[in-house]
Amino acid sequence: MSAAALEATLDHEQVVVRSGRRTGLPVMIAVHSTRLGPAVGGVRIARYASPADAFVDCLRLSRGMTYKAAAVGNGTGGGKAVVPLLPSGPQQLDEALRDGLLMDLAEVVHELDGAYHVAPDVGSSTADMLRIRRRTPYVGGYSTTENGLGATTFGTAAGVEHAMLATAEHLWGTADLHGRDVVVAGFGAVGQELTRRLVAAGAKVRATDIDLTRRPAAETAGAQWVELDGAYTLETQILAPCALGGVFTSELAAALRCRAVVGSANNQLATDEVAADLAKAGIVWAPDFVANAGGVMYGTGVELHHLSPEQSRDRLKSIQSTTAEILRQSDEEATTTLAAANRIAERALAAAGR
């Protein structure tokens, strides 16, 4: 283990790594903090080059969940689960193997006795959460909204829209997306719902994805399809990264031709230093762990805090006010939006005794 990985591990309350009893596949769960409530975070079932890469990603994502929940006052802590699909392992998950994998995960979650609640993330779904609930009650993101969207998908997209409204008001003086030009990079479930909401708000949307079969859905939603190659550097007002993280490097920050970056992807910056690069380029970045907090907020509102769907939707408005406060502090204190967001989260954690 590298020194950085060891330091990150020691920053966590619990870290469990185990071979699944049914499948032999590795199950990793990192509980970063339960200071503000049970740790909540999705399970990522994805391909990794090595177990070490998966482990470091799990640690980083779990810490990010703590800061996400703290910044928006969600009443939960932060955790994450990763089931890495490695080069030496199975290349396809058939139905039987997937069910076994989910039960292996559920078993470890259950043994943590409520310290960690699993939810959907990359490679997992609302349907998977329903299967996991056969084994343990410590599950979130299993409910659906009245229009059939998963709670996490709906909440994340709605929350990003609220962050965009705050950003629009900060830049242009009005919390209105009508007529704004937006590029949505990543047209999965969240990107699709975000596009639908933006088009309904009167925005002009261009969308792209690595999966070309998603083009008809994008065009049906009212977006113009563009090629993925070069999409991040298109001239636009708002760039919405909605795929995997780590995309924004110093080099890309210098090449961007947008006024703001507001999207749903986790860990958008390759390193924290890129926040300063974006600021230097005059680009407003809404920190990802605030902009995309709606998924965990809506799901935990309904499923953990037992609020009505209407009350959970109302909670998402805090993303707009929190984003506005971050942008205000960043301007007034001549600091990055990342530093401003971190301070808000750290104050909440310190008040709870961490």
Side-chain angles (χ1 to χ4, degrees):
M1 183 185 297
S2 69
L6 176 59
E7 183 178 356
T9 304
L10 296 175
D11 185 45
H12 284 64
E13 292 179 8
Q14 293 188 72
V15 179
V16 179
V17 180
R18 184 181 303 173
S19 292
R21 183 167 57 86
R22 298 162 184 80
T23 64
L25 294 173
V27 174
M28 304 176 179
I29 297 180
V31 177
H32 180 260
S33 174
T34 57
R35 181 66 61 182
L36 296 172
V40 175
V43 55
R44 182 162 294 198
I45 304 171
R47 300 211 168 272
Y48 289 87
S50 70
D53 288 347
F55 184 67
V56 170
D57 200 30
C58 189
L59 295 174
R60 185 183 183 203
L61 290 165
S62 65
R63 185 178 186 274
M65 288 301 300
T66 293
Y67 274 62
K68 182 198 303 282
V72 297
N74 193 50
T76 56
K80 204 74 178 181
V82 169
V83 180
L85 305 178
L86 302 169
S88 59
Q91 299 305 299
Q92 298 292 334
L93 291 179
D94 59 27
E95 188 66 17
L97 184 58
R98 186 175 188 87
D99 192 68
L101 178 158
L102 294 173
M103 290 303 100
D104 284 342
L105 172 64
E107 195 168 81
V108 182
V109 168
H110 196 70
E111 289 174 9
L112 290 172
D113 197 27
Y116 170 68
H117 290 232
V118 66
D121 190 49
V122 173
S124 58
S125 66
T126 297
D128 292 331
M129 298 307 106
L130 290 171
R131 293 161 82 175
I132 292 174
R133 287 189 82 213
R134 301 192 318 235
R135 175 65 181 84
T136 181
Y138 306 122
V139 182
Y142 55 82
S143 59
T144 56
T145 60
E146 61 270 16
N147 57 1
L149 281 175
T152 302
T153 297
F154 169 82
T156 302
V160 171
E161 184 181 14
H162 278 295
M164 283 188 182
L165 290 170
T167 303
E169 184 169 24
H170 180 79
L171 285 172
W172 301 297
T174 178
D176 186 359
L177 297 173
H178 185 82
R180 297 297 169 197
D181 189 273
V182 184
V183 172
V184 176
F187 202 74
V190 173
Q192 184 168 345
E193 172 63 7
L194 177 61
T195 295
R196 186 194 67 77
R197 299 179 73 91
L198 293 174
V199 169
K204 174 187 173 184
V205 181
R206 287 172 285 174
T208 189
D209 195 273
I210 194 171
D211 184 351
L212 298 180
T213 65
R214 292 174 175 170
R215 178 173 181 169
E219 293 174 340
T220 298
Q224 176 190 350
W225 185 263
V226 294
E227 296 301 319
L228 179 59
D229 186 26
Y232 284 88
T233 54
L234 288 171
E235 186 172 356
T236 186
Q237 291 177 307
I238 302 174
L239 174 61
C242 296
L244 295 178
V247 170
F248 292 95
T249 61
S250 296
E251 293 74 20
L252 180 56
L256 293 176
R257 294 189 294 162
C258 60
R259 292 296 311 281
V261 174
V262 189
S264 66
N266 282 309
N267 295 333
Q268 293 168 15
L269 309 185
T271 65
D272 287 353
E273 288 70 27
V274 178
D277 296 324
L278 290 169
K280 183 178 179 180
I283 296 168
V284 173
W285 178 60
D288 45 29
F289 61 87
V290 174
N292 66 18
V296 68
M297 290 184 74
Y298 184 86
T300 56
V302 170
E303 299 158 353
L304 185 63
H305 301 315
H306 306 297
L307 303 177
S308 70
E310 293 76 16
Q311 290 171 318
S312 284
R313 281 197 296 270
D314 283 344
R315 296 179 82 221
L316 301 182
K317 296 175 183 176
S318 69
I319 293 176
Q320 189 166 334
S321 58
T322 300
T323 302
E325 179 63 15
I326 288 166
L327 301 184
R328 184 191 66 79
Q329 289 187 24
S330 175
D331 271 5
E332 290 184 358
E333 300 171 15
T335 189
T336 66
T337 55
L338 176 60
N342 281 342
R343 277 201 299 272
I344 289 173
E346 286 161 2
R347 281 198 295 266
L349 290 166
R354 181 184 170 107

